[in-house]
Each structure stands twice: as structure tokens, then as C-alpha cells.
Amino acid sequence: MRHNNNQTNRLIMWLVMASDFVLLNAILLVYMRYFEELQVSNRQFFIVNNIALLISEWKFHARIHERFATAGEVLRRLMLLTGVQALLAYAMMRHVMYWMSTGELVLIIGTVFFVLLLISRLISRNIIKLVRRMGLNSRSVTMVGDDAELQKIRDLLINDPTTGYRIGKVWKADELREAIKKGEQVEFGDELYVCLSRKERDTIRLLSRECDRQVTQFFYVPVSVESIGLKFQREYINDIEVFTTHESPLQNPMNKMVKRCMDIALSIVFLIPTAIIFPFVYVIIKIQSPGPLFFRQERTGLDGKNFKMVKFRSMHVNKDADKIQATKDDPRKYPFGNFMRKANIDELPQFWNVLMGNMSIVGPRPHMLAHTEMYSELIDKYMVRHFVKPGITGWAQVTGFRGETKELWQMEGRVQRDIWYIENWTVWLDIRIIWLTFKTFFVHDKNAY
């Protein structure tokens, strides 16, 4: 069986790369046509930029053709692509045209290139999704087994038609084994997912060999009773292999330092506008609600230790502040306080917590002590979220789990996302979360109240 979709995906990748060169050269031609005379130095600038892009594309080419490529991954690679291209272009220009000042020019062209590429990626991504929704550039899948874990895989592949998966026949192991042994022509398609007990290793090996013969990608899915349900990371004690749970990339000292440097830099940036609006906030709060400007509350932080979190006070002074969450029509809120909560202005003083090292800009949201005590008894792995510093914003907050938790499942979902963040942290994930949070200043989050 021929697997044309692989060639199609490679064609998409090459077309996107070619369009990147077209776009860059269009920008350079506009520059040389309207802003500078065409001199030898301009030709050198033209060549250098193309060489820089060629090197950058080799390492950071677009992956929008990949079926489960996230928007965050597309943005991350785009930033690396344009950033590396600009740095390489500048370094080479300084070498071959040392008499010219090219830094500002490289920055301008790099910025324009990034913006236009971002638009191009969005358009290309949507076109690919539309093509796959129409049934083109699809990938055929065969499944073996009837376990619940296999059903989860099936649902994941077919629930989003833009990924382009088509599910073929679902075989029972004994039927497929007999068909192969009899020499029947059984086509697996592009991918085969096998969910059988490890006791049936002979059948699994048989299917793996048949996949090799048909040039089909083989996937083994453990059956539910054999799946431990934990995410393990490999470690070594001397030469003995062991596995641990909940290992965070932030246990790496270098990652920890990078995140701390980001926190310090960004908290200083955000404390400047906080200081500017401080007098106005002070006056309005004093007019609408007697009491202190700041609301300070004990919250649970890193390693389960408590710290004082600070916010602009958005509610009237009340005895329930340490026990009851804010609700949609909470009578404790005064008008300006309600506005601050919706616009996230009340959170700005927490950048002081970040600067002092009690918090990070991105991380699991710190909960009041009463909730820590309650939910740690009700939710398995609840305390795992305290393996890292709490954040002003977090993955749970930008994926629909912000605000009041009326039902236990809401807090369970929040904890689940917090643990996912801890186990999958990257600088780019933090940047994505900050961007999604920043958007709420302009697009109101219905759960913010």
C-alpha cells in the first residue's frame, strides 16, 4: 500500500519553507527599491540574509503540517526561526561589511519578517485544516483490540476532523492473527494501533513484523489493567535504572535560573505602570470602600509553606475573606473593585511578590489556607502543585479553570492542569500563558469575577 500522505506532508513543509524565502526576499527587494540605491553592499546584504535564513530553516522550519502541532509550538519555532535568522544575518554582515552600521536595519527587517510570517503561518495552518476536513491529506488507521484505552485513542484521533485521521477496521486479535497466517491480504493503512495484553507477545510481534513489511507505523497501547496511570521519568542510582513521578524541568538549576531572571525582568516592567496608576486606584478605593488599599492574605506557596500574598483590595472589608471565594454577584464587591477583578488590575501588586521571590509570574495559582486544607483531603495529588512557586497566572487559568470552583470536578481539573504544567514546563509555555493572560485585558474572561 502506498502512503501518499507522507509525501504530501513533506511537500507542504517544503512549500512553506519556499514561501518563507519568497517573503524575506520580497521585504529585501522593497528595501533596496525604495529606501536605498542598489549597490554592491546591498547585494551582499541580500545574499547574507538568504544564507542566514537557510541555516535557520534547517533547524527551525515550520511544523504546521504535523497533525497535532499546537499553536504554541508553531509560535515558538517561528520566534526561533526569525530570531536566529536575524542574529546570523547581523553577525555575517559585521564580518563582510564591517564599515556599515547594520544593527538597526537587521532589527527592522527581522521584525517585519516575523509579523508577515506569523500572518502567513495562520493562513497556511487554516488552509491545511480545511483541506483535511474535506478528507484530503488524510491518514488511515487500523486498530486491534477492544480495550477502553484503545477507545480513548480512537476518540482522540477522530474528534477533531482537522487532524485528517480516518479510522478503518477494528480487528479482534484472534481474527487478524488467523487472517495473516492464512496469507490473506490485510492492509493496515498508515498506522496500526495494537491494544493487547502483554501475555499476547507473540501476536504483538507478528503484527509488528507485518507493519514493517507494509511500511506501516506501529503503535502499542497498554491495556487499561496493565497501565499504571502515572507519568514516569527515568533516573539512575549508580547503574540501576529507576523511575520517579512528577519530575519537573524546573528542578534543573539552569531552568530555575532562566525562569527567575524572567520573573525579575517582567515584574520590574509591570511594577512601573502599577506605580503610575497607584494614586488613582488609591483615591477611588478610598471613595467607594473604607479600609486599606491592599488586601494581604496567607496563601500556600512553594513546598507547602505559607506566604503573604498582596493585591489591591477589591471587596469591602469582611470576616469571610479567608474562607469564601468570590462569586459572580458577590455582595462584598464594590463597583471599582468589580472592575479591577474583571480587568485583572487587582493582581498587579503581586508582581512585588514575584520580585521578592514568593511567587512566579506563571505557575499554579496559590490558594487560601482553608482551601489547601480542604482539597488536600478530597483530591489525590493536590499537594503536588506546590512543587513549584505559585504564579500570578497559570495553565489552568488560561484553559478554562479560572475563578470560583463550585463543584469538586472544577478543582480537580485545575489541579490536573497545574501538574501538567509542572511536568511540561518550558520557557515557551510560560510565554504562551503570559500572552493568553494578556489577551484577557481586551477579551473578557467570563470566569473572571
Side-chain angles (χ1 to χ4, degrees):
M1 179 177 181
R2 297 180 62 187
H3 304 280
N4 294 322
N5 62 77
N6 287 334
Q7 285 84 354
T8 304
N9 277 350
R10 281 194 287 271
L11 176 62
I12 292 171
M13 182 186 73
W14 286 110
L15 286 174
V16 171
M17 290 174 65
S19 70
D20 292 350
F21 280 93
V22 170
L23 204 53
L24 175 64
N25 286 296
I27 295 169
L28 296 175
L29 285 171
V30 169
Y31 160 73
M32 290 190 287
R33 173 68 176 83
Y34 294 102
F35 297 99
E36 286 287 343
E37 296 179 3
L38 188 60
Q39 302 170 350
V40 173
S41 60
N42 295 116
R43 293 193 184 96
Q44 290 175 331
F45 190 66
F46 189 97
I47 294 170
V48 161
N49 271 278
N50 277 272
I51 293 173
L53 181 58
L54 182 64
I55 297 171
S56 190
E57 289 278 5
W58 172 72
K59 186 67 177 176
F60 303 112
H61 60 267
R63 288 181 173 172
I64 59 174
H65 60 283
E66 293 183 0
R67 296 177 191 276
F68 288 101
T70 64
E73 175 65 10
V74 172
L75 178 61
R76 184 184 75 86
R77 292 188 70 85
L78 179 58
M79 292 173 68
L80 287 169
L81 175 72
T82 53
V84 170
Q85 189 276 336
L87 287 173
L88 288 174
Y90 177 73
M92 286 189 284
M93 286 298 294
R94 294 300 297 168
H95 180 70
V96 301
M97 299 172 60
Y98 56 87
W99 65 88
M100 288 185 63
S101 177
T102 58
E104 183 179 349
L105 179 59
V106 168
L107 180 62
I108 292 171
I109 289 178
T111 302
V112 174
F113 188 40
F114 171 77
V115 172
L116 293 181
L117 273 188
L118 181 60
I119 296 170
S120 172
R121 292 286 190 273
L122 290 172
I123 294 172
S124 301
R125 187 173 162 87
N126 285 323
I127 290 174
I128 292 170
K129 286 185 175 183
L130 178 62
V131 167
R132 287 173 178 163
R133 191 184 293 273
M134 294 167 59
L136 303 174
N137 186 229
S138 60
R139 197 158 177 84
S140 58
V141 174
T142 301
M143 294 188 167
V144 182
D146 56 5
D147 190 80
E149 292 296 309
L150 194 65
Q151 183 61 42
K152 290 179 184 177
I153 297 291
R154 183 179 185 277
D155 292 342
L156 178 66
L157 295 181
I158 66 173
N159 279 348
D160 183 1
T162 63
T163 58
Y165 280 97
R166 292 184 292 106
I167 307 298
K169 185 169 182 178
V170 179
W171 288 85
K172 290 185 178 179
D174 53 350
E175 292 179 357
L176 181 56
R177 183 174 55 244
E178 290 303 314
I180 293 174
K181 287 182 176 179
K182 289 178 181 178
E184 295 181 17
Q185 188 66 28
V186 180
E187 291 191 350
F188 290 156
D190 299 297
E191 296 178 6
L192 178 71
Y193 289 82
V194 178
C195 188
L196 301 174
S197 171
R198 293 172 185 173
K199 296 175 182 178
E200 299 190 54
R201 58 175 58 88
D202 291 340
T203 300
I204 295 170
R205 288 171 179 165
L206 173 67
L207 296 177
S208 176
R209 287 195 299 269
E210 185 64 19
C211 282
D212 292 341
R213 190 184 68 79
Q214 294 192 25
V215 198
T216 295
Q217 202 162 1
F218 176 87
F219 294 93
Y220 175 71
V221 183
V223 297
S224 54
V225 294
E226 295 177 349
S227 176
I228 299 173
L230 297 175
K231 180 176 180 178
F232 284 124
Q233 300 287 340
R234 180 186 287 111
E235 288 188 2
Y236 288 91
I237 301 176
N238 202 348
D239 60 345
I240 302 173
E241 187 180 48
V242 297
F243 293 85
T244 182
T245 58
H246 311 303
E247 183 182 33
S248 171
L250 289 172
Q251 290 176 344
N252 182 300
M254 183 59 70
N255 290 341
K256 220 182 256 189
M257 184 183 72
V258 169
K259 187 170 175 66
R260 181 61 184 150
C261 289
M262 282 181 59
D263 283 343
I264 292 172
L266 290 176
S267 60
I268 292 173
V269 169
F270 281 101
L271 282 171
I272 293 172
T274 304
I276 294 172
I277 69 170
F278 181 90
F280 304 98
V281 173
Y282 177 81
V283 171
I284 299 174
I285 288 178
K286 286 298 182 182
I287 292 173
Q288 294 193 1
S289 177
L293 171 66
F294 295 111
F295 172 70
R296 293 180 174 86
Q297 187 179 60
E298 288 274 335
R299 297 283 178 107
T300 310
L302 179 65
D303 296 328
K305 297 176 181 177
N306 300 339
F307 72 100
K308 284 269 189 185
M309 191 188 75
V310 60
K311 302 171 65 173
F312 284 130
R313 184 171 56 84
S314 58
M315 292 185 175
H316 296 297
V317 177
N318 65 92
K319 59 180 174 42
D320 296 322
D322 293 333
K323 297 179 289 185
I324 302 176
Q325 287 181 303
T327 58
K328 187 173 183 179
D329 300 310
D330 201 314
R332 296 174 295 171
K333 292 186 290 188
Y334 57 91
F336 183 64
N338 190 41
F339 166 75
M340 284 198 298
R341 296 180 74 93
K342 289 182 177 179
N344 297 314
I345 295 172
D346 64 319
E347 310 280 4
L348 290 175
Q350 287 171 47
F351 286 103
W352 178 255
N353 285 116
V354 174
L355 194 60
M356 292 297 100
N358 305 128
M359 295 178 64
S360 179
I361 291 176
V362 180
R365 280 294 292 166
H367 293 162
M368 63 180 71
L369 303 188
H371 279 179
T372 298
E373 184 178 351
M374 177 176 68
Y375 287 118
S376 62
E377 297 293 328
L378 296 174
I379 300 176
D380 187 31
K381 302 178 185 176
Y382 176 85
M383 295 303 292
V384 172
R385 65 197 304 276
H386 301 110
F387 282 176
V388 298
K389 287 182 183 179
I392 295 176
T393 185
W395 182 241
Q397 282 64 46
V398 299
T399 53
F401 283 84
R402 181 184 177 185
E404 184 184 11
T405 49
K406 298 178 182 178
E407 305 287 342
L408 183 62
W409 67 266
Q410 293 171 307
M411 184 59 79
E412 288 174 335
R414 181 182 292 185
V415 171
Q416 195 175 53
R417 281 160 174 77
D418 287 339
I419 294 175
W420 183 89
Y421 169 80
I422 291 170
E423 294 178 337
N424 295 275
W425 177 88
T426 64
V427 170
W428 304 107
L429 179 59
D430 273 6
I431 292 172
R432 182 184 179 192
I433 292 170
I434 291 169
W435 165 246
L436 291 172
T437 303
F438 181 73
K439 284 170 62 177
T440 62
F441 282 93
F442 309 98
V443 181
H444 175 57
D445 186 341
K446 64 180 182 179
N447 294 320
Y449 47 80

